[in-house]
Amino acid sequence: MTRTLFRGFRLAGVGAVIFTVAGFSLSAQAAGPSGKQIARQTCSACHGLQGAGNPQAGFPRIAGHPAAYLEAQLRAFAAGQRANAIMQGEAKQLSPAELQAVSRYYAQLESPARVVVNAKPQTLREGRETVVNGRWQKNIPSCESCHGPGARGIAPSFPPLAGQNVKYLEAQFRAWKSGHRPGGPDDLMQHIAQQLDTHQIHAAAEYLASLPPTGKLAAGTQADVAPSIPDALPGYFQPPIEKDLPQGKFGESVHRGYLIFTRTPKYAVEYTGNGLSCSNCHTDRGRQANASPMWAAWVAYPAYRGKNKKVNDMAMRLQGCFRYSENAQGSKAGHFPPAESPILIDLESYMFWMAHKAPTGVKMKGRGYPRLKNPPQPYSRNRGEEVYARSCAVCHGSTGQGKKLANGEYAFPPLWGSDSYNWGAGMHKVNVAAAFIKYNMPLGHPGMLTLQEAWDVAAWIDSHPRPQDPRYHGGLKATIHKFHHNRKIDYYGKTVDGRVLGAPSPGKTGQNISP
Amino acid sequence: MTRTLFRGFRLAGVGAVIFTVAGFSLSAQAAGPSGKQIARQTCSACHGLQGAGNPQAGFPRIAGHPAAYLEAQLRAFAAGQRANAIMQGEAKQLSPAELQAVSRYYAQLESPARVVVNAKPQTLREGRETVVNGRWQKNIPSCESCHGPGARGIAPSFPPLAGQNVKYLEAQFRAWKSGHRPGGPDDLMQHIAQQLDTHQIHAAAEYLASLPPTGKLAAGTQADVAPSIPDALPGYFQPPIEKDLPQGKFGESVHRGYLIFTRTPKYAVEYTGNGLSCSNCHTDRGRQANASPMWAAWVAYPAYRGKNKKVNDMAMRLQGCFRYSENAQGSKAGHFPPAESPILIDLESYMFWMAHKAPTGVKMKGRGYPRLKNPPQPYSRNRGEEVYARSCAVCHGSTGQGKKLANGEYAFPPLWGSDSYNWGAGMHKVNVAAAFIKYNMPLGHPGMLTLQEAWDVAAWIDSHPRPQDPRYHGGLKATIHKFHHNRKIDYYGKTVDGRVLGAPSPGKTGQNISP
């Protein structure tokens, strides 16, 4: 019995563990054969030996899904957390090693690219809106935010949805709504399912089912400059939507601005010294209230800023973003874009357009990040570490490194380290990060963290190495004295785990990654 | 009889004509003695020998008034155009030479600086509003616009008003309203008098009476950044007023922007290559609808401009103003301010503040200069010359040279020649100038000129030499081909009075005054 072949083995963990059975070597990559046998015997009746599933019956396509994801699902079925009598019965019979093997087997199969589309164009359009643009009026990001471009999944936690069958997808939403399936990381899917109505779910499922799981990305899988329907949170300013986009040269500038804003390391490569895009901190393409939206920022400048002790127009303000949040010192150019740079002009065009009809000079509701109350207890980076592992690591990685796509662009931004914001960015302040987190994270489920958790996890994130403050001058003490007064919310120069944060790397000038 | 002393003489004209009587030499400057005799005998009973007038009786102070102005008034009394039986009787008895002599006598007297102020502070404040800030809601500029800083007059046509007595001033307004006094140049004063109510006239008169005619300017005689009361033309956007001015560093930037805007050659001296201020074409400090107001411009940028084939943010747009309208090529720096220049930032602050609450990206009613209909007949610079002489020369000078104050700043801007806008400025186009003129000129009486007159006089103004187009390259023909397509509204390169307009001066590179 294949089922018993590995029964005696207990693997300590996943990964490229190599072990030997009956005289031949099996690497994780070579687990296919036995996995295939399990699949043939146990899974293929419903899912097929090629993992294509059964659309009519609503059995999911599982080919090409991340092995860890599949294994986790099998465990959840076995434990009864995912309610399905058949799957529970089958999963319970498999040993941990067998669960892993069969998961790996299906994971390495390429999902067939061909999909059959029966839905009406209007349904697909509506579905695309959820999948590609999100439903930000309910704080729901696009499916692609987590499931990747073309909804092809981001391993290990986010399965592909492209080409998945409609019946299965709809059933999952019902299961999340009813509690028959765990909500997944941060209960995200349960929360999202509760926000969407049956019609929206059906349309999204139809659109997802229409997407090819492999091969060239379908047209229209890139998010639009703006959603097709109003997306403002209730009671907040509504920026213009896709149909309002201007034509001609100015429209082209808006579009370029959008690309720079949402894919900064690619479209402003010369001046970007890390892996962050503007849209990482200004969610929904800079449109979302309480995430420092661009429509509120546009009407607030020129303004005096204590940070550089000058009145800043928008071009200068954006230079500040590049200098700190984008760590321009580490870029090819080594500095932020000059004032006349088309990059700044295009960003201004994009912001200006987004602020259409917003009253000039008025403090808009939803601007910046809301001021956060102090936490009940003083914040603790140790408690924050736990929050981070539980709620953040699934996207941002256990060491804050974020997650890259195959094309080298980040799917989830790095929160510390050399590819994150530097010690001069506003986000390095615990209070700023805490406010952003409380009101915007986790994406799709903001408000989930308590006030205390938001502060704690912000402390954890902001007490790690990151690129040097570009204003570093005359040593750490002098730099602290000049730019890092507020010691209550600032780890710069503090000793954490034996490292002095912000200290220049040995032999470096202070303009490099630190400590 | 003094009156008969020169009866036999007829002077051909005014000026430094020297003639000899009874063996001693009399220059125009030395006409005092005989003028004084006429004054003693004829005028002093009412006006005083020192020309201080009689406030109780309402007899005007005339000391220090421009001789030409006084002489013109005496002629008007003599001819019955100014209705005053006593003055008519006296003036009629004087020969032209005597009129001139007595006018010169009073003109060279220094008006005593001391004034007696009886008015309530509130009245003075209200009066100051008209005198210093204007009543632009009725298209009435400040009194100081024509009568100069501190209302001390601008010779030869605009008499001093500072220290003039209330009774006399009020009587004049009544006379203008009733037609008992000619309206003066362009019927300005008649038109203005009809717009003001008795209370406003009284308050303005009280304030004017309180101003010292000589010595240091009283505090508060410089126009404010904004008026104290709403000043929008009915139905147009109302920019914020003086009480809305922001405090702190940003407020200081707004204030500097205002100074740069209204006194550009002084406050942006490095980048200004002519005698024009922004406010010359953007009247009421850039606030007036249909005079390309700054609140409308602010919310219209960034925008694509065919002129430089780029999307321009406001800093770039302002650079264009400096390049052309301010003829930066002739400035100390030799070019427009760089993008990060505080001059641009301050101008942006000023504009941004002025646009407070204006909806971003919306085409505001009153923006730019209204599009003008074509004239009934093709425009004619020859007819325009007549219009100019009749309606414009009083301020802008018979050769378009404008009028400078003693401090070197222009009271009235030059319309052509080396100190005016260059061949690249929008205003060099006849249609643009005609629209500006029709809706804004003469200051205080816009709309006075017919459509035909506006076009004709614009043609006259724009068919004179002015600084070279800074884009001049590869000769006149190539420059015309590239930048001066629309030959219907453009004199650049045309031959007028034997000169080729826009042709570089002999031996010059083309970056200089032309032709």
Side-chain angles (χ1 to χ4, degrees), chain A residues 249-250 253 256 298-304 311-316 319 339-340 344-346 348-349 351-353 355-362, chain B residues 249-250 253 256 298-304 311-316 319 339-340 344-346 348-349 351-353 355-362:
Chain A
K249 300 282 187 187
F250 179 67
S253 178
R256 287 191 302 269
W298 178 261
V299 298
Y301 283 86
Y304 179 79
V311 172
N312 291 207
D313 66 2
M314 189 49 76
M316 287 173 75
Q319 287 175 327
E340 64 279 11
L344 300 183
I345 301 289
D346 289 339
E348 288 178 82
S349 292
M351 295 176 72
F352 167 73
W353 174 72
H356 190 73
K357 291 190 182 172
T360 302
V362 169
Chain B
K249 299 282 186 187
F250 179 67
S253 178
R256 287 193 302 271
W298 178 261
V299 298
Y301 283 85
Y304 179 78
V311 172
N312 291 209
D313 67 1
M314 189 49 76
M316 286 172 77
Q319 287 175 326
E340 65 278 11
L344 300 183
I345 301 289
D346 291 338
E348 287 178 82
S349 293
M351 293 175 73
F352 167 73
W353 174 72
H356 190 72
K357 292 190 180 172
T360 302
V362 169

Side-chain angles (χ1 to χ4, degrees), chain A residues 64-402:
Chain A
H65 281 42
Y69 170 79
L70 291 174
E71 204 181 330
Q73 303 314 307
L74 288 170
R75 281 204 217 94
F77 283 122
Q81 293 159 340
R82 263 190 92 165
N84 183 306
I86 295 167
M87 286 304 296
Q88 184 172 25
E90 299 291 346
K92 272 176 109 168
Q93 291 184 57
L94 295 174
S95 70
E98 287 166 334
L99 292 182
Q100 187 182 59
V102 75
S103 296
R104 286 181 184 175
Y105 165 72
Y106 279 114
Q108 51 83 41
L109 292 173
E110 185 164 291
S111 212
R114 198 171 150 272
V115 290
V116 181
V117 182
N118 296 316
K120 289 178 187 164
Q122 173 62 15
T123 304
L124 292 174
R125 270 198 299 276
E126 287 175 29
R128 179 177 175 276
E129 194 61 24
T130 310
V131 172
V132 170
N133 288 320
R135 300 272 173 185
W136 289 93
Q137 58 277 49
K138 293 188 171 178
N139 253 319
I140 299 175
S142 73
C143 304
E144 295 189 334
S145 296
C146 293
H147 294 272
R152 291 182 177 181
I154 298 179
S157 304
F158 299 97
L161 307 175
Q164 189 54 282
N165 71 70
V166 173
K167 215 164 183 178
Y168 172 73
L169 288 170
E170 290 185 316
Q172 301 318 300
F173 275 86
R174 283 194 298 274
W176 281 313
K177 278 195 185 186
S178 65
H180 288 99
R181 177 174 176 177
D186 294 327
D187 277 330
L188 279 176
M189 287 314 302
Q190 184 173 45
H191 178 73
I192 290 169
Q194 285 163 353
Q195 309 286 316
L196 296 174
D197 63 32
T198 311
H199 177 76
Q200 288 168 330
I201 289 166
H202 173 71
E206 289 280 10
Y207 180 73
L208 288 167
S210 80
L211 293 176
T214 55
K216 212 179 150 213
L217 283 180
T221 49
Q222 159 90 32
D224 299 318
V225 176
S228 296
I229 52 172
D231 64 337
L233 289 175
Y236 292 90
F237 176 77
Q238 174 61 59
I241 59 176
E242 185 79 2
K243 72 169 173 53
D244 306 321
L245 272 172
Q247 300 296 306
K249 300 282 187 187
F250 179 67
E252 291 166 18
S253 178
V254 170
H255 192 258
R256 287 191 302 269
Y258 156 74
L259 290 173
I260 296 165
F261 194 86
T262 53
R263 299 168 77 181
T264 318
K266 181 177 168 75
Y267 288 98
V269 59
E270 199 175 350
Y271 304 106
T272 302
N274 61 20
L276 300 185
S277 288
C278 309
S279 55
N280 292 144
C281 295
H282 308 279
T283 62
D284 187 16
R285 298 154 270 206
R287 300 168 63 89
Q288 190 70 339
N290 301 321
S292 212
M294 293 302 99
W295 39 266
W298 178 261
V299 298
Y301 283 86
Y304 179 79
R305 293 192 82 209
K307 192 161 183 173
N308 59 5
K309 297 193 166 43
K310 285 178 184 175
V311 172
N312 291 207
D313 66 2
M314 189 49 76
M316 287 173 75
R317 181 65 189 83
L318 291 170
Q319 287 175 327
C321 298
F322 275 96
R323 188 172 194 206
Y324 303 110
S325 301
E326 296 296 319
N327 193 40
Q329 63 190 338
S331 70
K332 201 171 141 193
H335 56 78
F336 52 72
E340 64 279 11
S341 165
I343 285 178
L344 300 183
I345 301 289
D346 289 339
L347 284 170
E348 288 178 82
S349 292
Y350 179 56
M351 295 176 72
F352 167 73
W353 174 72
M354 216 183 295
H356 190 73
K357 291 190 182 172
T360 302
V362 169
K363 289 187 174 180
M364 303 286 281
K365 184 183 166 195
R367 70 187 178 279
Y369 306 124
R371 202 180 175 83
L372 211 57
K373 280 187 198 161
N374 284 331
Q377 304 171 50
Y379 62 75
S380 151
R381 69 184 297 272
N382 292 336
R383 281 196 309 265
E385 183 178 10
E386 292 169 32
V387 177
Y388 185 86
R390 200 168 63 233
S391 293
C392 315
V394 61
C395 290
H396 297 286
S398 56
T399 60
Q401 77 276 18

